[in-house]
Amino acid sequence: MEQKQVIPTTFVILGATGDLMAKKIVPALFGLHEVKALPKEFRIVGISRRDWHDEDLRKHVAAILAVKAPHASQELVESFLERVIYHKITFETPEDYVALGEALQRIDEEHQTCSNKLFYLSVPPQFYKTILENIHKAKLAELCDPQGGWTRIVVEKPFGNDEKSARELDMQLAKLFKEDQIYRIDHYLAKETFQNIVTFRFYNNLFENDWGKHTVEKITIREFENIGVEDRGPFYESVGALRDVGQNHLLQMLALTTMDQPVSLTADAIRSKRAEILHTLILLDRAGIKKSTFRAQYDGYRAVKGVAADSQTETYFRVRGYLSHPRWEGVPIILEAGKRLIDPKEKKEITEIEVMLKHPQPCLCPPDRHYRNSIVFHQDPFEGITIHFWAKKPGFTMEAEERVFEFNLRRSERKSQYTEEYEKLLLDCIAGDQTLFTSSEEVAAMWRFVDPIVAAWSNGVVPLRQYAPDSPAIAAEAQVMDDAILAAVTGV
Ligand code: BG6
């Protein structure tokens, strides 16, 4: 894949010695370099407060690649390292940004060009405000060539920690960049399975006409992970599972599953449909939160470094919500995620969206069996779609049995966590395609739904249960409790 974009680009990473650089940015950029998808003139300017020189950063990057791309040839690694430059900044010092501006200009002059500038905030969110103010003062977001080129900014999740702080961050960004220059990352949007929902729903004439409350009984979105919190104690402790993956990944999965058909496949059209459906999430009040949410923490979590000994942070949650959109009124939406957890049915980690259909009315299927048709979009442990249905059992009787159509896009064969998604996302930032990035309206709508739940939980409205790690028991228990509440309401 050759990069069509020929305009020279400078990729400025603030926080170049941090975790994100090693986990996501370097492996993805290297992957793009390997398939020649980066512009020919593409420089990576790594920034941190360390007293480093180009050679130090290059060594650091080489060490990351030795782990993440162990089979890459020396020649390929060297050619990648040639793109890497280091610049020291203390984030709080305005003069340092002026010096950065001069350094960027020097790099451009050396290559006799005025390059596009992509700023990547790969730092903890508490630094955003200071960095953005200083970028503003030093006029780094201004174009060196008003006739062409661009400047853009990439912001990692979490985008704020509630609606208010997300709005404040947006206002801050808006002083410097227009919405079409701001790239808010949610790597789930770049996963093949979830991109494929748009294709499956809107390119085919299979289910879309009946996609809604008349046919769909409930939608369940699950993300059960084998891994625990590992070395991310301080971060995780301050957010918990609902804000870590619920407010973003799971709600984006919901948006793709339930949004109306966009008028076209442009970024604006798709993003506005995602935002529209997210705005129809019905906010839960205190009574609703008590009845329809469930939270728990795995035994051993409190021993993780950076976690409080009496931590009340959830590592598992289940939330039942509804949309006020006419197409989806009354359809329960279950959002469920957890760490150190396996699925009660599959007995392994899974990430999927299950769209369960109602029984036909009247139903000729066996009255004592409540097996219903469902369409499942699978992300883990394989990427694909399955359709579960009744079929006649071969033989002399009309006995029916459960069967499955399976579309297997591929077994999960990703290079390593995040790499494939970040390759796609970084390429799209460079190409200026915002389809797979979250708009400010989407972010606000997702926080609006999550904020009251987080507040009620921190007031102890819902007890925090404990669960044995690597067992499906807690998810099974939450399901039984929720199904009983649902049955009491609907009589089903
Ligand atoms: C991240 C969360 O956004 O997504 C992590 O912060 C989580 O806690 C991860 O493990 C899951 O991503 P993936 O791509 O491995 O499903």
Side-chain angles (χ1 to χ4, degrees):
M1 180 185 27
E2 296 275 342
Q3 171 58 259
K4 305 228 169 23
Q5 300 252 328
V6 285
I7 306 175
T9 300
T10 307
F11 188 87
V12 184
I13 306 166
L14 293 117
T17 53
D19 206 32
L20 292 184
M21 177 84 165
K23 267 194 188 156
K24 305 174 178 176
I25 303 172
V26 167
L29 286 177
F30 183 73
L32 294 174
H33 174 78
E34 192 174 9
V35 295
K36 299 190 170 45
L38 293 174
K40 193 160 163 281
E41 298 285 332
F42 185 85
R43 258 155 292 278
I44 302 164
V45 179
I47 302 215
S48 87
R49 59 180 75 219
R50 288 191 202 177
D51 234 341
W52 274 12
H53 298 282
D54 293 350
E55 273 323 302
D56 300 300
L57 182 61
R58 286 179 187 154
K59 265 193 215 141
H60 179 66
V61 170
I64 296 170
L65 291 176
V67 177
K68 297 284 186 181
H71 306 299
S73 71
Q74 189 62 20
E75 195 189 347
L76 193 65
V77 171
E78 299 271 312
S79 61
F80 181 71
L81 294 179
E82 275 168 24
R83 296 181 183 271
V84 175
I85 296 164
Y86 182 73
H87 188 87
K88 179 191 164 177
I89 264 197
T90 308
F91 293 136
E92 296 83 1
T93 313
E95 299 76 47
D96 284 5
Y97 293 75
V98 177
L100 170 63
E102 288 162 3
L104 294 177
Q105 200 180 335
R106 268 198 309 277
I107 297 168
D108 275 358
E109 279 164 7
E110 225 173 88
H111 296 90
Q112 297 172 351
T113 177
C114 159
S115 64
N116 294 322
K117 307 282 181 312
L118 186 62
F119 295 95
Y120 194 121
L121 294 190
S122 167
V123 295
Q126 63 266 30
F127 290 109
Y128 286 0
K129 191 162 177 277
T130 315
I131 290 177
L132 289 171
E133 270 166 11
N134 285 327
I135 288 185
H136 186 40
K137 281 190 206 138
K139 298 191 171 53
L140 292 184
E142 288 179 16
L143 294 175
C144 48
D145 173 9
Q147 303 306 315
W150 45 256
T151 58
R152 292 181 188 141
I153 188 149
V154 183
V155 190
E156 268 289 343
K157 77 168 256 291
F159 194 83
N161 50 22
D162 54 16
E163 187 186 353
K164 186 165 166 280
S165 56
R167 291 268 188 215
E168 280 165 10
L169 180 52
D170 266 333
M171 273 160 52
Q172 195 95 48
L173 282 163
K175 286 190 204 150
L176 287 162
F177 299 98
K178 296 206 195 75
E179 179 66 16
D180 66 5
Q181 292 173 284
I182 304 169
Y183 288 71
R184 298 178 195 78
I185 287 195
D186 180 333
H187 76 285
Y188 266 50
L189 286 173
K191 287 190 183 281
E192 283 293 341
T193 299
F194 304 135
Q195 291 186 63
N196 197 18
I197 295 178
V198 171
T199 315
F200 180 79
R201 288 186 55 200
F202 304 123
Y203 285 48
N204 300 306
N205 198 6
L206 288 169
F207 299 105
E208 195 50 33
N209 291 336
D210 293 320
W211 204 246
K213 64 184 175 194
H214 299 299
T215 320
V216 174
E217 178 155 309
K218 103 173 149 191
I219 298 176
T220 307
I221 298 177
R222 301 187 184 93
E223 192 211 359
F224 294 166
E225 294 180 273
N226 280 342
I227 54 166
V229 171
E230 327 300 10
D231 56 356
R232 299 166 74 220
F235 163 74
Y236 200 86
E237 178 67 354
S238 67
V239 291
L242 181 59
R243 282 187 283 183
D244 182 37
V245 296
Q247 183 271 344
N248 33 72
H249 306 332
L250 269 62
L251 285 176
Q252 285 295 352
M253 288 155 79
L254 173 66
L256 291 166
T257 310
T258 53
M259 71 185 194
D260 283 341
Q261 175 156 348
V263 284
S264 69
L265 290 175
T266 59
D268 281 353
I270 293 180
R271 279 160 39 118
S272 76
K273 285 298 171 197
R274 290 199 313 246
E276 200 175 284
I277 196 75
L278 289 167
H279 274 290
T280 70
L281 276 161
I282 299 176
L283 305 192
L284 295 170
D285 60 13
R286 195 183 156 94
I289 293 168
K290 207 172 160 84
K291 235 177 26 204
S292 349
T293 73
F294 188 102
R295 65 192 187 112
Q297 183 187 80
Y298 66 80
D299 294 333
Y301 169 72
R302 289 176 186 174
V304 172
K305 200 163 158 233
V307 168
D310 57 351
S311 168
Q312 291 297 304
T313 301
E314 82 288 353
T315 58
Y316 164 78
F317 69 86
R318 179 182 169 103
V319 169
R320 175 162 43 81
Y322 294 87
L323 301 171
S324 63
H325 188 293
R327 187 204 271 243
W328 294 107
E329 274 161 355
V331 178
I333 312 281
I334 318 289
L335 305 170
E336 195 180 16
K339 296 229 178 262
R340 297 288 300 268
L341 201 72
I342 51 175
D343 179 61
K345 239 177 20 205
E346 302 289 331
K347 303 279 184 282
K348 51 182 152 192
E349 73 172 348
I350 58 166
T351 299
E352 64 178 33
I353 304 166
E354 180 186 18
V355 179
M356 184 180 281
L357 306 188
K358 297 180 176 183
H359 275 311
Q361 293 295 347
C363 184
L364 299 179
C365 46
D368 54 332
R369 281 165 63 194
H370 292 289
Y371 174 77
R372 289 167 174 66
N373 302 147
S374 60
I375 299 149
V376 185
F377 299 97
H378 300 267
Q379 167 59 38
D380 273 315
F382 74 97
E383 296 178 80
I385 301 171
T386 51
I387 298 175
H388 302 248
F389 62 102
W390 289 106
K392 183 193 169 299
K393 222 175 179 174
F396 299 124
T397 65
M398 267 308 286
E399 202 183 334
E401 62 180 352
E402 304 160 10
R403 301 302 290 257
V404 182
F405 282 129
E406 179 169 307
F407 156 63
N408 198 331
L409 177 67
R410 57 187 181 180
R411 288 276 143 203
S412 284
E413 55 192 20
R414 48 183 162 166
K415 297 172 188 171
S416 67
Q417 196 188 23
Y418 301 121
T419 305
E420 185 183 51
E421 296 93 338
Y422 272 74
E423 283 177 1
K424 171 76 181 137
L425 290 170
L426 295 183
L427 203 56
D428 283 1
C429 296
I430 299 167
D433 183 343
Q434 287 185 304
T435 312
L436 304 181
F437 295 83
T438 323
S439 67
S440 92
E441 276 316 300
E442 290 170 83
V443 172
M446 295 188 289
W447 279 125
R448 200 169 304 155
F449 179 68
V450 162
D451 282 351
I453 305 175
V454 173
W457 284 358
S458 63
N459 289 330
V461 169
V462 176
L464 179 76
R465 288 159 207 273
Q466 295 296 127
Y467 63 97
D470 316 321
S471 140
I474 196 75
E477 187 188 329
Q479 180 168 358
V480 169
M481 278 179 62
D482 194 39
D483 284 353
I485 293 172
L486 206 53
V489 179
T490 59
V492 179

